Amino acid sequence: MMEKSWLLAFTLFLHVIPREAAFGVSGGVGLGIGNAGSGVWIGGGISNTPTPSPGSSASNLNSAHAALQSWKSAITDDPLKVLDTWVGSDVCAYKGVFCADPQDDEPGPVVVGIDLNHANLQGTLVKEISVLTDMSLLHLNSNRFSGTLPDTFRDLISLQELDLSNNHFSGPFPTVTLYIPNLMYLDLRFNSFSGPIPEDVFNKKLDAIFLNNNQFDSQIPQNLGNSPASVINLANNKLSGNIPSSFGLMSSKVKEILFLNNQLTGCIPQGVGLFTEMQVLDVSYNSLMGHLPDTISCLNQIEVLNLAHNKLSGQVPELVCSLKSLANLTVAYNFFSGLSQDCAKLFFRNVGFDFSLNCIPGRDMQRPQPECSVIPGGGLSCLRIPSPQPLICGSLAETLEANLSPSSP
């Protein structure tokens, strides 16, 4: 899964870690990165902090000290005593705070990261955090922070990773995150954010978008296809309406899309076949209807395809069941009426395949016949664009873009 590729500071901090740096976990909270040889990285209690020379970054550290003390005063419960180390002026010795020499000619160190994952802290975020303009990551998952994000967060010009997952944040989508200029990884999952998802989320150059397990509602913005993200997770919200037709015009580099457990309706867009590098597609637990598009057979890298608990009908296409990388195919709890011989061979390939509770004649564990007498969405037109037979996946993009683009006046 794509979450595994975000290994905290291992990738984002390569520009400041020398090759001989040693890595180690610090205090069980966050990621301590140390270099006993030169003291370049200081964090989580490392004691070899370089003494700032006159006219060096002392003013930066003084500002960081004032900011972190302001934040500490807004934290009302610290059961693991993480902040017991947040005393004195040496912020680079604070647990969960990481420092490094800056890239420019100025002497260091500066605060480049804060990782307080799983610290179980209760409190709020304060505007003073925004003075940490050299900070590349802010990881606060699995705490009890509440309220909203300060508008001053837009001043975090170096921030690339923001992980606020599994907290108690609420209110509308925190639009200030869209003004953080270099943000690449946005994780807001498992909170209580509500209301619509702004269109600008999909205009921003984010590589990972995790908005699942909130209370977002309304429709998925129509500009979904503008996003260059490799993973988009909108699962377990209250989103409704159709999957945007631009769905298939997204970056072909997308690896995972999860829309499960919403209130989506309509058809699966034909453009799904453009995702030639997709590994996971999960649209289960919605109310999608109609037949599967033939283009779904172009998902050459797909490993997990979950279409369960919808109102889909027709045949499960032969080419879908013959996808080479497939590890799990779930079409249960729909209204499919037939399977191809290739689908029956999935069991011999050790592919997980669940087709229960459909309307397939002669198969066990299907719906009662009265439920199959009226197929949901029987009159639904999915506006399929004719494609050559046999389907040529390589020419699919040109065909779809030509048909989906606005006609010239």
Side-chain angles (χ1 to χ4, degrees), residues 312-325:
L312 299 165
S313 57
Q315 298 275 328
V316 179
E318 177 178 352
L319 292 176
V320 172
C321 293
S322 62
L323 288 167
K324 301 300 183 184
S325 300

Side-chain angles (χ1 to χ4, degrees), residues 232-253:
I232 297 178
N233 192 338
L234 307 182
N236 301 313
N237 281 289
K238 300 177 181 178
L239 299 168
S240 58
N242 295 348
I243 298 175
S245 58
S246 65
F247 176 65
L249 302 181
M250 295 175 65
S251 164
S252 62
K253 302 297 184 182

Side-chain angles (χ1 to χ4, degrees), residues 129-372:
I129 296 173
S130 61
V131 306
L132 305 175
T133 55
D134 294 292
M135 181 167 59
S136 294
L137 71 77
L138 178 59
H139 284 184
L140 301 176
N141 85 54
S142 302
N143 284 283
R144 290 174 288 149
F145 289 111
S146 59
T148 57
L149 275 65
D151 287 340
T152 55
F153 268 41
R154 69 180 64 205
D155 297 330
L156 295 171
I157 58 175
S158 300
L159 193 66
Q160 297 183 43
E161 288 198 18
L162 179 61
D163 183 353
L164 303 178
S165 61
N166 198 22
N167 277 282
H168 299 165
F169 292 108
S170 59
F173 182 95
T175 54
V176 66
T177 60
L178 304 178
Y179 297 97
I180 300 174
N182 292 301
L183 194 65
M184 296 177 60
Y185 177 99
L186 178 62
D187 193 344
L188 302 179
R189 55 187 157 175
F190 292 97
N191 280 287
S192 297
F193 292 114
S194 58
I197 297 173
E199 287 187 0
D200 283 342
V201 172
F202 303 112
N203 290 331
K204 192 168 177 63
K205 293 182 179 179
L206 294 167
D207 185 60
I209 302 171
F210 294 102
L211 305 182
N212 52 291
N213 294 84
N214 279 280
Q215 299 176 32
F216 291 118
D217 55 26
S218 299
Q219 298 189 17
I220 299 174
Q222 291 299 310
N223 67 331
L224 173 70
N226 292 355
S227 177
S230 59
V231 54
I232 297 178
N233 192 338
L234 307 182
N236 301 313
N237 281 289
K238 300 177 181 178
L239 299 168
S240 58
N242 295 348
I243 298 175
S245 58
S246 65
F247 176 65
L249 302 181
M250 295 175 65
S251 164
S252 62
K253 302 297 184 182
V254 68
K255 297 291 195 300
E256 297 185 18
I257 291 183
L258 297 100
F259 292 161
L260 66 143
N261 198 25
N262 280 284
Q263 300 163 17
L264 300 176
T265 56
C267 307
I268 296 176
Q270 194 172 18
V272 67
L274 296 177
F275 297 126
T276 55
E277 296 187 22
M278 175 107 63
Q279 296 172 357
V280 177
L281 175 62
D282 192 336
V283 296
S284 61
Y285 289 92
N286 283 285
S287 295
L288 299 172
M289 294 184 285
H291 294 189
L292 294 181
D294 290 342
T295 56
I296 209 166
S297 63
C298 294
L299 301 177
N300 295 321
Q301 303 299 316
I302 197 76
E303 297 175 12
V304 177
L305 179 59
N306 192 346
L307 310 174
H309 290 268
N310 280 285
K311 299 177 181 179
L312 299 165
S313 57
Q315 298 275 328
V316 179
E318 177 178 352
L319 292 176
V320 172
C321 293
S322 62
L323 288 167
K324 301 300 183 184
S325 300
L326 199 61
N328 191 290
L329 172 63
T330 305
V331 298
Y333 288 88
N334 279 286
F335 290 85
F336 288 113
S337 56
L339 299 175
S340 70
Q341 290 186 349
D342 277 340
C343 293
K345 297 176 183 177
L346 289 175
F347 299 106
F348 300 102
R349 290 172 48 195
N350 291 320
V351 174
F353 181 38
D354 186 356
F355 59 89
S356 60
L357 277 297
N358 277 280
C359 299
I360 303 171
R363 298 286 184 172
D364 295 332
M365 299 182 64
Q366 299 299 295
R367 291 180 181 274
Q369 182 56 40
E371 292 185 16
C372 298

